[in-house]
Amino acid sequence: MTTSKFLNRPDVYCHAPWVGGSYMPDGKFTPCCHWRGEKFNSREEMTQKVGDIFLRGEIPDNCSFCVPGQPSWRDSYNVYPTDYKTYKLKFLDFRNSNLCNLSCRSCGPTYSTQWASELGWKHILFQYPVNLDYVDFSECERIYFAGGEPLLNPAHYEILDRLVERTDNGSSMQIMYSTNLTVLNYKDKHVKDYWPKFDQISIHGSIDAVGPYAGVVRSGSDWATVEKNLTWVRSQPNVLVRISTVISAINIWFLPSLFEYLDFAELYNTENGSGPVLFEPILAWGDNEFNLSSIPHRFRPDLIDMLSNNKFSSHPNIQHAIEILKDPAYNAQYWELFLKTQKELDQKRNENWFDLLPIKDQL
């Protein structure tokens, strides 16, 4: 099997099958969290099947998230060299459970036990304990914990224990989280006892709204608790905080208060041990009712004006949101489905998303 065609296609190749892997809620592996297709029983099986496709100079059909020739998730794996023959775990994306204390409106039962409970599903897709004996952490340099809510996952703390036991005490590891920041512990395990032992902790805070809007966008969250936990996290010298807001038809109406909160001078104060906060919004993706293209045109000029006139308007994803709202594309069925779903959730959960909506009287 020749690899010349593959090695000459930097816009195609991805090292994820050889240096990474995502441990999914059903206990199986995929090359990364954006893989859309067959899951594999082991990293070895994943490397063989997915790696062979790349070695033929082809892009797997299930890798549609990464666009050739553009910066993408692929870059997170390609920083690690590989000989395309052996698999040394360098970057583990660990999301083995859907255990979560929230039922965010943009989520669902696959990644939330609260959602699963509402729908009568089996609550946890992959039960603890997890057999980590066959996962080689000896050369792992980066771990990304997601979920569910990873800080409620007992396997997360077991992995941290294993990393601390490494010859370098795990200190050189880069540990990343996607967390809702509503909790910092699970039973008697607390991140305050672990994070100081590592050099680099990176937090992607899933905050889509602030104040009274937070609890209806991410159902079950308490803004006062989130803000308290955010304050502690920022006080840690080895922790970098990013606010990863998912901009969707659910929360775009409430973004002005979020922008105002992020723009508050004290939040960016680097004195007195409080680190700066980075704002890294992302857009709801996929062909569904949450996409900004589902919003009727009569509401879009005000939203475009709001997105265009704030401190963060130059961010590429804010600009992308503006482009979507300027696009003629519109799906009336999605808008009807979106409103119907939000009204049903209000009634089922005794929440007031509709009452807080600034365009309520125009619907």
Side-chain angles (χ1 to χ4, degrees):
M1 178 184 299
T2 177
T3 62
S4 59
K5 181 180 179 182
F6 166 74
L7 292 176
N8 290 328
R9 292 287 303 278
D11 62 325
V12 170
Y13 74 80
C14 179
H15 291 180
W18 295 274
V19 303
S22 292
Y23 197 9
M24 303 303 284
D26 54 7
K28 295 187 177 183
F29 278 94
T30 60
C32 77
C33 62
H34 295 296
W35 177 263
R36 297 291 180 265
E38 175 190 5
K39 298 177 184 177
F40 307 95
N41 294 319
S42 65
R43 284 193 66 241
E44 291 84 351
E45 180 187 11
M46 178 268 293
T47 300
Q48 180 180 1
K49 292 186 176 181
V50 181
D52 282 352
I53 298 175
F54 278 114
L55 290 175
R56 293 198 300 266
E58 301 171 3
I59 304 176
D61 292 337
N62 298 310
C63 282
S64 58
F65 182 84
C66 292
V67 179
Q70 296 184 14
S72 65
W73 190 242
R74 175 199 307 116
D75 303 332
S76 301
Y77 296 92
N78 286 356
V79 297
Y80 302 108
T82 179
D83 59 5
Y84 309 110
K85 298 176 182 178
T86 57
Y87 37 88
K88 295 290 187 180
L89 182 63
K90 298 291 187 179
F91 180 11
L92 174 64
D93 171 55
F94 191 77
R95 51 184 77 212
N96 75 300
S97 171
N98 67 338
L99 179 63
C100 188
N101 57 338
L102 303 185
S103 50
C104 305
R105 292 185 180 230
S106 58
C107 192
T110 301
Y111 296 105
S112 167
T113 48
Q114 293 297 315
W115 260 105
S117 179
E118 282 188 9
L119 299 178
W121 285 29
K122 181 180 178 181
H123 288 195
I124 304 177
L125 294 183
F126 194 61
Q127 294 280 359
Y128 183 80
V130 179
N131 182 9
L132 298 172
D133 292 338
Y134 66 92
V135 181
D136 183 5
F137 293 100
S138 62
E139 296 189 29
C140 191
E141 299 180 19
R142 183 162 43 161
I143 295 183
Y144 179 35
F145 290 106
E149 171 48 50
L151 298 185
L152 287 175
N153 186 351
H156 151 254
Y157 296 95
E158 182 178 338
I159 291 177
L160 292 187
D161 284 330
R162 289 178 179 242
L163 296 177
V164 171
E165 294 173 356
R166 285 191 350 180
T167 55
D168 61 353
N169 295 321
S171 61
S172 61
M173 288 286 303
Q174 180 184 9
I175 301 177
M176 302 184 297
Y177 293 89
S178 179
T179 171
N180 59 41
L181 286 172
T182 61
V183 294
L184 296 176
N185 70 291
Y186 173 75
K187 295 184 178 180
D188 62 337
K189 300 286 188 178
H190 202 294
V191 297
K192 294 179 181 180
D193 300 322
Y194 286 94
W195 287 358
K197 300 177 181 179
F198 299 94
D199 293 338
Q200 301 179 67
I201 304 290
S202 180
I203 298 294
H204 296 260
S206 300
I207 298 176
D208 293 345
V210 301
Y213 310 113
V216 296
V217 174
R218 290 190 171 267
S219 303
S221 65
D222 175 71
W223 176 243
T225 300
V226 172
E227 195 169 25
K228 177 182 176 182
N229 291 338
L230 179 60
T231 299
W232 179 84
V233 168
R234 290 182 58 226
S235 71
Q236 305 305 299
N238 62 331
V239 178
L240 175 65
V241 182
R242 295 176 172 88
I243 303 301
S244 299
T245 299
V246 179
I247 299 178
S248 71
I250 298 172
N251 71 325
I252 191 170
W253 320 96
F254 312 133
L255 288 183
S257 60
L258 174 66
F259 290 152
E260 182 180 358
Y261 177 77
L262 293 174
D263 195 25
F264 186 48
E266 188 175 344
L267 193 66
Y268 287 88
N269 182 12
T270 59
E271 299 176 358
N272 302 320
S274 293
V277 172
L278 303 179
F279 182 51
E280 294 186 354
I282 57 180
L283 300 185
W285 65 285
D287 184 22
N288 55 55
E289 69 272 22
F290 303 130
N291 195 290
L292 298 183
S293 62
S294 70
I295 298 174
H297 288 96
R298 66 182 182 276
F299 300 123
R300 295 188 185 188
D302 288 342
L303 295 176
I304 293 172
D305 183 66
M306 178 269 295
L307 292 175
S308 302
N309 294 283
N310 63 80
K311 183 175 181 178
F312 311 100
S313 60
S314 62
H315 190 284
N317 283 338
I318 298 292
Q319 288 295 311
H320 189 194
I322 294 173
E323 292 173 5
I324 293 175
L325 292 171
K326 288 181 177 180
D327 192 287
Y330 167 60
N331 189 317
Q333 291 181 332
Y334 275 165
W335 179 245
E336 293 174 6
L337 174 61
F338 172 72
L339 293 179
K340 178 176 181 290
T341 301
Q342 304 317 308
K343 187 170 184 178
E344 289 176 348
L345 288 176
D346 268 359
Q347 294 172 343
K348 180 184 295 184
R349 298 174 178 177
N350 193 28
E351 294 179 348
N352 62 337
W353 182 88
F354 257 102
D355 290 338
L356 295 171
L357 196 63
I359 60 168
K360 176 185 177 183
D361 295 338
Q362 303 176 52
L363 297 177

